[in-house]
Every structure is written in structure tokens, then in C-alpha cells.
Amino acid sequence: TQLLEQSPQFLSIQEGENLTVYCNSSSVFSSLQWYRQEPGEGPVLLVTVVTGGEVKKLKRLTFQFGDARKDSSLHITAAQPGDTGLYLCAGVSYGNNRLAFGKGNQVVVIP
Amino acid sequence: DAGVTQSPTHLIKTRGQQVTLRCSPKSGHDTVSWYQQALGQGPQFIFQYYEEEERQRGNFPDRFSGHQFPNYSSELNVNALLLGDSALYLCASSYQGFGQPQHFGDGTRLSIL
């Protein structure tokens, strides 16, 4: 059973469009991290959200942590081909502080 | 400032063999975690090493073992390889790592024939 469900699994959009991907769970997390992974490379940390309801912006990327600390979303404004990649969310569990990853959102931005 | 480095980058083995993968953490980091990433999946936690001891372990069989050296580098050993062990093996480092953001290497691609 996957602790974190990411949707959609695959998304293809044209350059300049906006997109939102989601990371959902029935578990509560102490914090949640988003990573981007490109082919042949390891994941790279984009942001960590800690407080329920928190919104963080990284240039054209906006990350939100749900009020109940069970879910998160990533919104990309005016997507560019350089945004192409696998976006992974990872929740930190209370107690064991273990990091659990979802399967990822594969985003393809077409020039 | 070197990031996380892993070796080798690619490896081909046959069923039943044993393999050792190596990882050097980012400078200043003392905790190393290993993950298995199958095709189309997110990374799955194997185990974490801190102060040369296994601190946490995921749902992986005893065929998967590891070691951390005094210089914080680490090895992942897999015995009696199965076809299902084919995956990208990622090493990540952090400072006193419980729940801390992970700095990943580019992984070792292991193929089992």
C-alpha cells in the first residue's frame, strides 16, 4: 500500500500553460518535501513545508501544505520545457521520522 | 564542495551473485540513507546509517545489508541477487538525518540478468 498517492501520474502540457499536481495521504505528516528528478539523475530537493496551510513559492512554482497536514499540491505557472521532470513528494512520519515517497508526477512540457 | 557521489554508475550481474555499491556523502553530512527506485516508482527506503550503525530499516529482506565507515562513507551489499532487484539504487546524505531533507547522488543502475 502506497502511503502517498500522487496524481496525475503523467501530465503533458504546452509551454506557457499552468498545471497543478497533487500528493494525498490518509496519514498526518510532521513535514512534507518536494523533489524533482530528471532522467539519469537523483532527486533534487525543491522545498520543505512544515506548517499546516503553509504556502511556499519558488519562482513559478507554488507549493501548499494542507491544513490537516495530510496532503500537498504543486502549481506551476507558465510552464517551461525546463520544468519537465518527475516530481516526487515525500512525507516525514511522526514517531520514526522516516521519509516515505510517492510514485511521482511525470510532467512533460512541450515547446 | 562535492555532493553525494556513488559508484559504480552502472552494473550488470546475474541471478545469485552478490553486489557492493558505494557512496560518499556530501561534505559535512554524517547520515547516509539508501533507497531502491524501480522503474516508474518512487524511491523506497532500505535503511539509514548514523555513527556507523544501522539506525532504521525499511521492508527489505536480510539479503540487503550495509556498512558505514568512520569517514561517513557507506556501502550497500545485496546477496543472492534476484531479477526483481534490478533498479536504480540511490544514496542520500543528511546531517543527523531523522526527517531532514536528503541530498541524493545520481544512483547506481543495477541490472540483473
Side-chain angles (χ1 to χ4, degrees):
Chain A
T1 303
Q2 197 76 21
L3 192 60
L4 284 158
E5 298 289 338
Q6 293 191 243
S7 61
Q9 288 188 19
F10 181 83
L11 184 59
S12 176
I13 61 169
Q14 293 292 133
E15 182 176 0
E17 293 181 339
N18 301 333
L19 68 97
T20 303
V21 295
Y22 301 92
C23 172
N24 295 298
S25 178
S26 58
S27 300
V28 178
F29 297 106
S30 61
S31 65
L32 196 138
Q33 302 166 14
W34 282 93
Y35 294 79
R36 181 169 65 211
Q37 185 177 23
E38 300 187 24
E41 299 182 7
V44 175
L45 179 71
L46 297 174
V47 77
T48 300
V49 285
V50 180
T51 307
E54 181 177 4
V55 176
K56 277 193 174 178
K57 292 191 174 185
L58 184 67
K59 296 183 181 179
R60 293 174 295 98
L61 278 60
T62 301
F63 304 84
Q64 183 162 8
F65 199 15
D67 291 340
R69 309 165 72 97
K70 294 182 178 181
D71 52 79
S72 182
S73 63
L74 160 59
H75 180 80
I76 302 179
T77 302
Q80 299 178 1
D83 297 325
T84 293
L86 180 68
Y87 289 84
L88 293 160
C89 68
V92 180
S93 298
Y94 285 103
N96 63 17
N97 282 314
R98 187 176 297 177
L99 199 61
F101 282 85
K103 290 186 177 181
N105 309 103
Q106 181 65 55
V107 172
V108 175
V109 182
I110 302 167
Chain B
D1 178 23
V4 178
T5 58
Q6 292 187 242
S7 64
T9 54
H10 294 85
L11 203 51
I12 299 175
K13 291 285 188 178
T14 57
R15 282 179 298 174
Q17 285 190 310
Q18 178 266 344
V19 69
T20 297
L21 310 182
R22 296 177 175 83
C23 172
S24 292
K26 179 180 169 65
S27 177
H29 286 181
D30 57 6
T31 304
V32 173
S33 301
W34 287 92
Y35 295 83
Q36 180 194 67
Q37 186 175 24
L39 205 59
Q41 304 290 318
Q44 296 292 312
F45 175 73
I46 302 175
F47 42 54
Q48 183 180 82
Y49 277 84
Y50 174 70
E51 292 188 340
E52 302 179 50
E53 291 193 358
E54 183 183 293
R55 184 160 66 174
Q56 283 199 33
R57 189 178 184 92
N59 295 326
F60 279 80
D62 292 344
R63 298 187 297 110
F64 290 77
S65 63
H67 190 77
Q68 185 179 35
F69 299 93
N71 67 353
Y72 307 118
S73 67
S74 178
E75 289 182 349
L76 164 65
N77 301 292
V78 187
N79 295 322
L81 287 165
L82 304 174
L83 292 177
D85 295 332
S86 294
L88 179 68
Y89 288 85
L90 293 163
C91 169
S93 72
S94 58
Y95 177 65
Q96 297 192 350
F98 277 137
Q100 297 300 313
Q102 307 284 293
H103 293 254
F104 283 87
D106 288 338
T108 294
R109 173 69 63 185
L110 177 62
S111 299
I112 310 301
L113 303 180

